[in-house]
Amino acid sequence: MTDQLYKEEFLFHFKNQNHNRLLKSKSHFGRDVNTSCGDEVLIELSVENEIIKDVGYVSGGCIISTGAISILSDFIIGKTIEYAKALTEDEYINLLGIDLTFARKKCALVGFNALKKAIGNNEKG
Amino acid sequence: MIKDCRSDFPILKRCIHGKRLAYLDSAATSQISKYVLDAIYDFEVNHRANVHRGVHTLSEEASQMFEDARLKVSKFIGAVVPREVVFTSGCTDSINLVAYSWGLSNLKRGDVVLVSEVEHHSNFVPWQEVCKMTGAEIKYISVDSNGDLDIKNTNVDWEKVKLVAFTQVSNVLGRIIDVKNVVKIIKKGYPSKIRATLMPKILVDGSQAIAHLPVNVQSFGIDFYAFSGHKMYGPMGIGVLWVNKEIFDELKPFKFGGGMINEVTYENSNFADMPERLEAGTPNVSGAIGIGAACDYISNIEIKNIVDHDKSLMDYVVSKLREDKDVIIYGSPNSSLISFNVKNIPSHDLASVLDTCGVAVRSGHHCVMPWHKKQNVTTTVRVSFGIYSGFDDIDQLMEGIKKAKGMFL
């Protein structure tokens, strides 16, 4: 069961987080927390012409929440804001490729929720 | 050590992910004893009826069993009379009952409610809310690095303190608080000019103590004692609030309806005596019978044997955890639970890996967020014992920690 939760590819994302930094210039930002385990994700987007050009984040929390935001960041760069808006919870969970229990799903969703908040939180109005 | 009682807990035969179950989460909820289940089954199958409302045989039997349960609980905790025992839905409900029945009508602007900084949210949030409603102020007793209350250095105007609330055993630090000693310090701190009636009321949260330590509410010198059935091998959904009979008059009814009245007219109602005045509606009769049976079950094992059992397990788990230089233990636990972290492994991830090894532990903030924030610790892993726990459970825990380190570090 651990093999299904902590898959090699997922752990790779936890250990090598490409977008784990804040952006020099951001257009959108969002933050979400999971108080049960202390996960917290702050995400920033740089959007030009409705396309997500870059993503930066700061994650404090468990392996699941941190690995998940890394995967999401890689995935969402190059997509349109409309696409990000339409991305469903189920599609996001499928993207992670791991078997999540009810409690651990909450950990994984912190980054997703932060992204959704960021989309609705455009600095430039 | 306690004679093996695992056969009293059928759930312990379960395998989790193909491994034997090492249940180390009894501080969250203990498993239920077969002895308790049999008592509940007997009531539900042979005697079920509403209590105090009928003259038929089943109702008489149910009422007798319900009051017998109250008697058992009162003897178990050393109450003066069974009337001091109020059945609630759990410890949280018990503390809310004090907050609303006593707090709302006895607290006012300028008063202080004093709670320890390591209280479970259930002995913290109700006071925060009642203080907002009444204008009273909430202040904190600091806790030292061992987990002891530093009440001597509490900077407060004692004459303003109307209630002191603290736990007998911290559900995070696992430290036993010497209730008698704390009460002695509180009462000694009062100038002799203050009459005894103006002493603050004292509430003790006994959730983590009731199944592990000797409890005698009379000898504690307190006013309220609260605990839950599900942490003492009994059912969920039942709890107890013990109220010192000397202050019965200070409690106003909080819930209104059937069972708590004396006489009702279209114009007005007057209310029953304690404890019925605080038990509106049909009570959780099977739960009460269950908690009564749990008292019998623990009494048969004898608390002194449980104290010895907990000590052996605590010594063992501390020695094993200390062998691992990556383990950080919080406080100096001396009861039946211990909180720790393994460096660089978030608590939820360690708990997930332990689960795959059949080991059930709690991870998170254990409903004590302010303390965790103060320590700059997001969350911790908590291991807690019951009478069915053994050295083999701890060995399984250590194997799980080794596995997690292999995966993540």
Side-chain angles (χ1 to χ4, degrees):
Chain A
M1 184 256 170
T2 348
D3 300 342
Q4 294 307 306
L5 185 60
Y6 299 105
K7 285 182 179 169
E8 211 170 302
E9 194 188 333
F10 191 88
L11 282 179
F12 178 83
H13 269 277
F14 169 68
K15 289 173 182 168
N16 305 277
Q17 301 170 52
N18 293 333
H19 309 285
N20 183 8
R21 78 280 192 261
L22 294 177
L23 299 181
K24 281 181 186 159
S25 170
K26 63 178 187 291
S27 55
H28 299 66
F29 68 95
R31 176 179 167 269
D32 195 56
V33 291
N34 170 13
T35 53
S36 80
C37 68
D39 298 329
E40 180 173 358
V41 171
L42 171 68
I43 191 169
E44 294 181 345
L45 311 178
S46 170
V47 178
E48 286 173 33
N49 300 323
E50 295 298 302
I51 293 173
I52 299 171
K53 292 284 187 189
D54 202 1
V55 175
Y57 66 82
V58 178
S59 168
C62 69
I63 291 170
I64 299 298
S65 71
T66 306
I69 184 61
S70 176
I71 291 173
L72 179 64
S73 301
D74 267 358
F75 176 76
I76 210 73
I77 291 174
K79 305 282 192 304
T80 63
I81 279 285
E82 277 312 304
Y83 182 92
K85 261 185 199 170
L87 185 69
T88 67
E89 212 175 277
D90 286 347
E91 286 167 342
Y92 166 71
I93 298 293
N94 278 338
L95 177 72
L96 302 180
I98 54 174
D99 290 343
L100 290 164
T101 58
F102 176 77
R104 301 314 305 271
K105 198 172 165 184
K106 285 187 196 169
C107 305
L109 283 170
V110 179
F112 177 79
N113 293 335
L115 173 70
K116 292 289 182 180
K117 286 178 182 173
I119 293 167
N121 204 2
N122 185 346
E123 272 207 330
K124 292 169 185 167
Chain B
M1 290 291 276
I2 296 170
K3 190 171 118 321
D4 189 13
C5 58
R6 282 185 184 166
S7 56
D8 294 341
F9 299 87
I11 200 170
L12 298 178
K13 288 183 195 144
R14 265 199 72 174
C15 283
I16 303 290
H17 304 299
K19 307 281 168 37
R20 76 176 275 279
L21 169 62
Y23 188 76
L24 293 171
D25 195 20
S26 293
T29 203
S30 64
Q31 295 302 339
I32 191 166
S33 152
K34 203 168 163 293
Y35 181 86
V36 173
L37 289 169
D38 288 345
I40 294 170
Y41 184 83
D42 175 53
F43 167 72
E44 296 288 4
V45 170
N46 298 313
H47 309 281
R48 183 182 165 100
N50 213 327
V51 292
H52 304 148
R53 284 158 176 80
V55 295
H56 59 79
T57 301
L58 289 183
S59 182
E60 294 281 13
E61 287 173 0
S63 302
Q64 190 60 54
M65 290 171 84
F66 184 63
E67 291 309 321
D68 282 351
R70 199 188 303 278
L71 180 64
K72 284 176 185 181
V73 172
S74 74
K75 283 184 177 167
F76 187 70
I77 61 172
V80 180
V81 287
R83 287 202 305 135
E84 291 180 316
V85 170
V86 181
F87 285 122
T88 65
S89 70
C91 188
T92 300
D93 192 34
S94 299
I95 296 170
N96 272 274
L97 186 56
V98 179
Y100 283 88
S101 294
W102 179 85
L104 276 189
S105 48
N106 287 281
L107 293 172
K108 61 181 186 314
R109 189 167 298 281
D111 291 343
V112 168
V113 172
L114 196 57
V115 301
S116 99
E117 63 181 3
V118 75
E119 290 310 303
H120 188 284
H121 294 162
S122 63
N123 199 18
F124 171 73
V125 183
W127 300 117
Q128 214 173 29
E129 290 303 304
V130 164
C131 282
K132 278 184 207 163
M133 291 178 210
T134 58
E137 190 182 358
I138 187 164
K139 291 201 167 186
Y140 303 100
I141 305 166
S142 59
V143 170
D144 66 21
S145 56
N146 286 330
D148 290 318
L149 302 190
D150 189 9
I151 195 142
K152 279 185 179 162
N153 291 317
T154 300
N155 184 19
V156 67
D157 180 353
W158 282 100
E159 292 189 22
K160 290 182 176 174
V161 178
K162 294 293 181 291
L163 180 104
V164 185
F166 60 92
T167 183
Q168 191 176 354
V169 175
S170 157
N171 76 311
V172 175
L173 296 172
R175 187 77 175 170
I176 300 168
I177 304 298
D178 182 346
V179 174
K180 277 191 210 172
N181 190 45
V182 171
V183 170
K184 201 169 123 192
I185 294 168
I186 292 169
K187 296 193 171 173
K188 206 176 164 186
Y190 272 76
S192 54
K193 64 179 180 178
I194 294 187
R195 286 179 293 124
T197 50
L198 293 178
M199 289 282 184
K201 300 293 174 284
I202 300 174
L203 180 150
V204 173
D205 173 352
S207 301
Q208 301 299 346
I210 192 70
H212 297 275
L213 295 171
V215 170
N216 185 298
V217 288
Q218 283 188 65
S219 75
F220 286 164
I222 60 176
D223 302 282
F224 305 106
Y225 191 83
F227 57 97
S228 295
H230 71 99
K231 286 180 168 55
M232 55 184 294
Y233 317 110
M236 292 178 173
I238 186 78
V240 165
L241 173 67
W242 169 82
V243 182
N244 186 334
K245 70 180 174 55
E246 300 301 322
I247 61 161
F248 276 179
D249 291 344
E250 293 185 38
L251 277 87
K252 304 279 178 278
F254 158 53
K255 292 174 187 168
F256 301 89
M260 54 77 67
I261 48 84
N262 256 345
E263 190 180 17
V264 177
T265 65
Y266 284 118
E267 290 74 33
N268 205 1
S269 303
N270 60 58
F271 307 116
D273 291 333
M274 285 283 286
E276 286 82 10
R277 64 162 45 200
L278 297 182
E279 291 179 346
T282 295
N284 179 357
V285 182
S286 67
I289 288 164
I291 203 171
C295 291
D296 283 346
Y297 182 73
I298 294 172
S299 299
N300 287 338
I301 289 168
E302 293 188 64
I303 283 284
K304 65 178 169 54
N305 294 327
I306 296 175
V307 170
D308 291 344
H309 171 80
D310 286 342
K311 187 176 181 319
S312 323
L313 290 177
M314 182 55 76
D315 289 347
Y316 189 65
V317 76
V318 167
S319 71
K320 286 286 171 186
L321 288 172
R322 280 197 180 140
E323 284 173 14
D324 188 332
K325 61 180 174 29
D326 291 322
V327 169
I328 305 156
I329 296 172
Y330 298 96
S332 302
N334 58 0
S335 63
S336 55
L337 66 98
I338 181 168
S339 294
F340 63 94
N341 270 319
V342 176
K343 279 180 200 163
N344 299 321
I345 304 183
S347 67
H348 270 27
D349 297 297
L350 179 56
S352 281
V353 175
L354 289 173
D355 177 56
T356 65
C357 302
V359 181
V361 298
R362 175 83 187 265
S363 55
H365 51 61
H366 321 304
C367 295
V368 190
M369 283 175 88
W371 179 83
H372 278 83
K373 206 167 180 181
K374 190 179 173 191
Q375 305 303 310
N376 212 14
V377 177
T378 324
T379 57
T380 52
V381 174
R382 183 182 70 191
V383 161
S384 53
F385 319 127
I387 47 174
Y388 34 69
S389 305
F391 297 131
D392 47 358
D393 295 319
I394 294 164
D395 290 338
Q396 208 169 322
L397 165 79
M398 298 313 298
E399 280 301 309
I401 292 175
K402 204 168 142 190
K403 182 180 173 185
K405 288 177 72 172
M407 285 172 65
F408 300 136
L409 299 185

